Amino acid sequence: MCGIIGYTGKKMNAKDIVLAGLKNLEYRGYDSSGIAVNENGKINLYKSHGKISNLEDRLKGKEILSSTAIAHTRWATHGKPNETNAHPHRCGKVTLVHNGIIENYMELKKELLEKGVTFQSETDTEVACAYINDIYESEKDKIKCLSKACSAFRGSYAFAIIFDDEKDVIYATRKDSPLIVGLSDDGNFAASDVSAILDFTAKYILLEYGEFAKITKDKVTIYNADLKEIEKEVKVATWSATEYKKNGYDHFMLKEINEQPDVIANIFSRYLNDCNYNDIDFLKYDAIHIVACGSAMHAGMVGKYLFQNYANIPVTVDIASEYRYSTQMITPSTLVIIISQSGETADSLAALRLAHSKGATTLGIVNAVGSTIARESDICIYTYAGPEIAVATTKGYTSQVAILSTLVINAMKQKGLLSDELFENIKQDFSNISSNLNHIISKKEDYINVAQKIFDHNDLFFIGRGIDSAVCMEGSLKLKEISYMHSESYAAGELKHGTISLIEKGTPVIAIATNNDLYEKTISNIKETKARGAFAIFITTDNFKNSTFEDFSDISITLPKTTEFVQAIEVSVLLQLIAYETAKLRNCDIDKPKNLAKSVTVE
Ligand code: M6R
């Protein structure tokens, strides 16, 4: 995680330029931040604990004239989030910012300590900096020096580096952490992703593993792993700077929740009008493995339910950090679906590479265009949800579910399992999705009402069966990550096998029942919790509407009944809004919850 940006150019306000860019990278971590500038030939560092606004406050009123700066926003891995551990780090003639983890830093540190090098921080990054400086003492060619140093580093890195003795030049390189080089008439950039440079330019080069960039104000030179100069394609970003603004909403999360009617409707209409995923032959595969982390894994759970129940295809869903080290049966007849909003999640990427190495076909469901998972997957289906800034995913997740729904429909078609009647119903749901979601979003008072009843509790439980059980997992994570309430999600029939011991008078239980066949069974499970004092919130669909809800629930909310291909999306939006209103009542930092970062590019 962590965000990095560097600028060198014609303008003397490099500090302001990198700070503006850094703010767009804050979703990558916000434990501390820092900047290094070259002021009259002297490298000065400024750092602050906490969010970038603290660094801005610290720099307010300081006149810093510099045409080159590198900056960093940190999600702490090695060492506490304090100023000493904040980047940039500096040793001898080398100053750098880093995203990633140098796994063998203890080994390298020992070597350097024996040579008399001293360290201020607890970080792996300072060791990397000192190691580069050590090599630089004997290898004055900077690209060769960096190449030698990087060949000793195990783990992941994206570096932006400045040397004391070469003013107005930034060097950059990467392995398993993203890095782009931005190009503009006024100067050039190195950055974790394009969002950091969009206020200045849309043109960029993707740096690949093993490549090095030498960046000056009017020239960018890229070297391959053999240190030969190479030409690279200049890309133009498709997302615009305004998509990174709140546009009047109180929070990015609320803005992104409100974008879902359009995002999901676009996915469905793209599918119906011009995309049949003809290059995916579901008859070819013995098994589907869905692999992802966090909410993307929860989307996979919905996908598993749909694939198994409607397309008769056995599916496993694995957490990427486990899958990458497991002895899975991955064969050339396996379809491995990797789901990732950012397309950069380290564990998901490693799982993708493992699947490739075993000859499986890989299918990426990705939002960030041009990201590593998108590029390395055999087949990539973009969700095209637009930039997601709030750390807690909303449209990222529902768009993944929407893509999975369409894949399942395609698999059913190929296997002759899709009846005309069901397809007509699905198409009807697809055309109603935007108005249904807008209707759900408009019911703000209902969610405030639920939030008022639950916000001052310590524990909460979500229960559901079938597809609702998968949806509960995401509802629970959403509430937990932004409101800091302890919440657990259980298959409704499983609660009584132990966890029901935690239900006491007033404990909120959110129960979801949308499936005709399982409806009554879920109600029995709610009654079990009610009998033990639970405060039951019942979420169901309007086809079950009758007067008996109050017999077993304290609050009930009904949604329009649809096929299961869209129902999960609708319930999820409602749960996002309950989480949002609850977090608001608890005065939480909704867009930047504590301890989290959006893009998890370390193991
Ligand atoms: O970018 P990815 O979809 O690969 O990210 C996966 C998870 O890190 C992510 O979904 C995480 O769980 C979010 N905090 C959920 O809101």
Side-chain angles (χ1 to χ4, degrees):
M1 339 244 264
C2 304
I4 67 179
I5 177 167
Y7 165 81
T8 185
K10 295 177 187 157
K11 298 187 174 165
M12 289 305 287
N13 63 337
K15 170 204 80 169
D16 301 319
I17 292 174
V18 294
L19 277 181
L22 199 61
K23 283 208 275 200
N24 283 350
L25 294 175
E26 199 166 25
Y27 73 89
R28 302 179 69 89
Y30 32 84
D31 289 335
S32 62
S33 59
I35 175 171
V37 284
N38 188 328
E39 290 176 272
N40 298 320
K42 184 167 181 286
I43 308 286
N44 291 324
L45 307 188
Y46 302 92
K47 302 182 186 189
S48 266
H49 173 253
K51 299 202 174 114
I52 296 169
S53 56
N54 295 349
L55 181 66
E56 287 178 310
D57 288 346
R58 179 164 192 181
L59 292 170
K60 208 170 271 164
K62 268 199 190 341
E63 206 197 345
I64 296 178
L65 289 177
S66 175
S67 49
T68 299
I70 55 174
H72 186 271
T73 183
R74 178 169 187 246
W75 187 82
T77 58
H78 293 58
K80 290 187 200 78
N82 57 27
E83 278 189 28
T84 316
N85 290 329
H87 302 212
H89 286 282
R90 179 167 166 71
C91 185
K93 291 193 165 56
V94 180
T95 304
L96 57 75
V97 287
H98 168 219
N99 169 31
I101 292 181
I102 306 298
E103 288 167 357
N104 57 334
Y105 83 106
M106 290 300 286
E107 226 172 86
L108 302 175
K109 189 169 186 177
K110 188 164 169 273
E111 217 179 283
L112 292 163
L113 284 168
E114 281 163 10
K115 289 185 176 182
V117 178
T118 54
F119 294 92
Q120 324 293 320
S121 77
E122 302 158 83
T123 63
D124 54 330
T125 303
E126 192 186 9
V127 175
C129 186
Y131 196 79
I132 294 170
N133 184 61
D134 186 57
I135 293 183
Y136 188 58
E137 283 179 5
S138 53
E139 175 55 79
K140 292 296 177 200
D141 180 309
K142 293 179 175 82
I143 296 288
K144 283 188 187 158
C145 161
L146 293 177
S147 166
K148 270 192 194 166
C150 289
S151 64
F153 297 153
R154 281 205 307 275
S156 56
Y157 51 79
F159 290 120
I161 306 161
I162 51 179
F163 288 84
D164 282 15
D165 55 9
E166 197 177 16
K167 196 169 175 283
D168 294 332
V169 182
I170 297 172
Y171 290 87
T173 187
R174 68 169 280 252
K175 179 194 167 211
D176 292 347
S177 291
L179 197 72
I180 55 117
V181 176
L183 311 168
S184 85
D185 293 340
D186 290 330
N188 296 314
F189 299 83
S192 294
D193 70 40
V194 282
S195 66
I197 59 166
L198 280 178
D199 283 330
F200 310 100
T201 180
K203 286 199 277 179
Y204 69 99
I205 291 170
L206 271 174
L207 208 62
E208 298 290 351
Y209 170 32
E211 293 176 347
F212 298 88
K214 178 178 178 181
I215 303 164
T216 67
K217 67 177 185 320
D218 42 25
K219 189 168 179 217
V220 167
T221 317
I222 309 287
Y223 301 86
N224 66 13
D226 298 327
L227 312 191
K228 300 262 177 313
E229 271 189 54
I230 52 167
E231 290 298 318
K232 296 270 300 185
E233 181 195 346
V234 175
K235 296 179 177 284
V236 180
T238 47
W239 292 348
S240 71
T242 53
E243 289 181 89
Y244 289 85
K245 312 277 183 253
K246 279 192 212 150
N247 296 339
Y249 285 98
D250 288 346
H251 298 97
F252 278 110
M253 182 176 177
L254 191 60
K255 172 180 174 240
E256 288 155 11
I257 288 173
N258 276 274
E259 285 168 349
Q260 290 174 110
D262 285 348
V263 166
I264 305 301
N266 285 341
I267 290 175
F268 290 151
S269 85
R270 239 188 354 260
Y271 173 72
L272 289 177
N273 294 325
D274 51 50
C275 173
N276 280 313
Y277 310 133
N278 284 335
D279 41 356
I280 309 167
D281 177 1
F282 284 98
L283 303 176
K284 224 169 78 181
Y285 304 107
D286 296 342
I288 295 180
H289 295 178
I290 299 182
V291 189
C293 301
S295 298
M297 190 275 286
H298 296 158
M301 294 299 288
V302 176
K304 172 183 166 145
Y305 173 90
L306 294 174
F307 268 119
Q308 295 196 153
N309 283 274
Y310 290 91
N312 273 341
I313 302 178
V315 175
T316 56
V317 179
D318 279 272
I319 294 166
S321 55
E322 291 297 317
Y323 187 86
R324 65 180 291 187
Y325 294 117
S326 65
T327 49
Q328 297 283 337
M329 288 290 295
I330 310 171
T331 72
S333 315
T334 315
L335 175 66
V336 178
I337 302 181
I338 307 283
I339 309 176
S340 176
Q341 188 283 129
S342 64
E344 300 293 348
T345 301
D347 288 315
S348 305
L349 179 59
L352 170 80
R353 289 178 178 164
L354 172 73
H356 266 159
S357 72
K358 305 263 181 184
T361 302
T362 57
L363 164 60
I365 300 178
V366 178
N367 188 36
V369 177
S371 57
T372 313
I373 293 175
R375 285 181 285 132
E376 293 193 15
S377 299
D378 294 321
I379 307 161
C380 172
I381 301 181
Y382 283 117
T383 54
Y384 293 118
E388 193 177 61
I389 310 299
V391 166
T393 182
T394 52
K395 62 177 181 172
Y397 163 81
T398 49
S399 62
Q400 292 159 353
V401 173
I403 295 284
L404 285 162
S405 290
T406 57
L407 283 173
V408 174
I409 295 163
N410 224 43
M412 291 166 71
K413 275 190 193 161
Q414 290 179 11
K415 296 183 84 178
L417 294 171
L418 183 62
S419 68
D420 291 345
E421 190 193 347
L422 178 56
F423 195 39
E424 280 313 309
N425 289 340
I426 291 171
K427 284 198 281 191
Q428 191 59 50
D429 286 347
F430 281 7
S431 62
N432 290 340
I433 189 71
S434 174
S435 62
N436 277 0
L437 291 181
N438 276 317
H439 171 75
I440 290 164
I441 291 169
S442 73
K443 298 279 185 184
K444 185 176 169 189
E445 294 313 316
D446 287 354
Y447 316 130
I448 294 176
N449 181 33
V450 173
Q452 282 168 343
K453 301 289 185 323
I454 66 176
F455 84 100
D456 55 355
H457 285 266
N458 293 327
D459 306 294
L460 183 142
F461 296 88
F462 281 84
I463 58 171
R465 286 170 178 262
I467 200 167
D468 297 328
S469 169
V471 171
C472 281
M473 294 170 80
E474 176 57 11
S476 177
L477 179 65
K478 209 62 21 206
L479 184 75
K480 198 155 38 185
E481 66 183 337
I482 63 167
S483 76
Y484 316 146
M485 277 176 81
H486 167 242
S487 162
E488 286 188 51
S489 149
Y490 265 82
E494 181 65 13
L495 198 73
K496 63 170 95 48
H497 294 284
T499 306
I500 202 164
S501 65
L502 296 174
I503 304 284
E504 51 193 40
K505 191 167 180 329
T507 305
V509 173
I510 298 185
I512 303 172
T514 65
N515 180 297
N516 290 359
D517 299 332
L518 302 169
Y519 177 74
E520 283 174 353
K521 299 199 181 295
T522 304
I523 289 173
S524 301
N525 300 132
I526 302 171
K527 287 183 176 169
E528 290 159 7
T529 68
K530 275 297 282 173
R532 287 151 183 90
F535 181 84
I537 297 143
F538 183 52
I539 294 164
T540 188
T541 46
D542 53 12
N543 56 314
F544 299 119
K545 200 159 179 49
N546 57 41
S547 57
T548 59
F549 294 163
E550 64 213 30
D551 294 349
F552 57 86
S553 66
D554 298 284
I555 298 179
S556 62
I557 303 179
T558 50
L559 295 168
K561 177 71 184 168
T562 63
T563 61
E564 289 192 307
F565 293 87
V566 306
Q567 197 79 73
I569 295 169
E570 299 191 354
V571 179
S572 296
V573 172
L574 182 155
L575 297 181
Q576 292 163 1
L577 285 160
I578 290 178
Y580 176 81
E581 296 299 345
T582 307
K584 244 172 109 174
L585 287 181
R586 288 168 68 96
N587 289 320
C588 295
D589 189 343
I590 292 179
D591 285 336
K592 297 191 189 92
K594 68 173 156 55
N595 301 339
L596 295 181
K598 186 148 190 79
S599 183
V600 185
T601 55
V602 294
E603 274 198 67

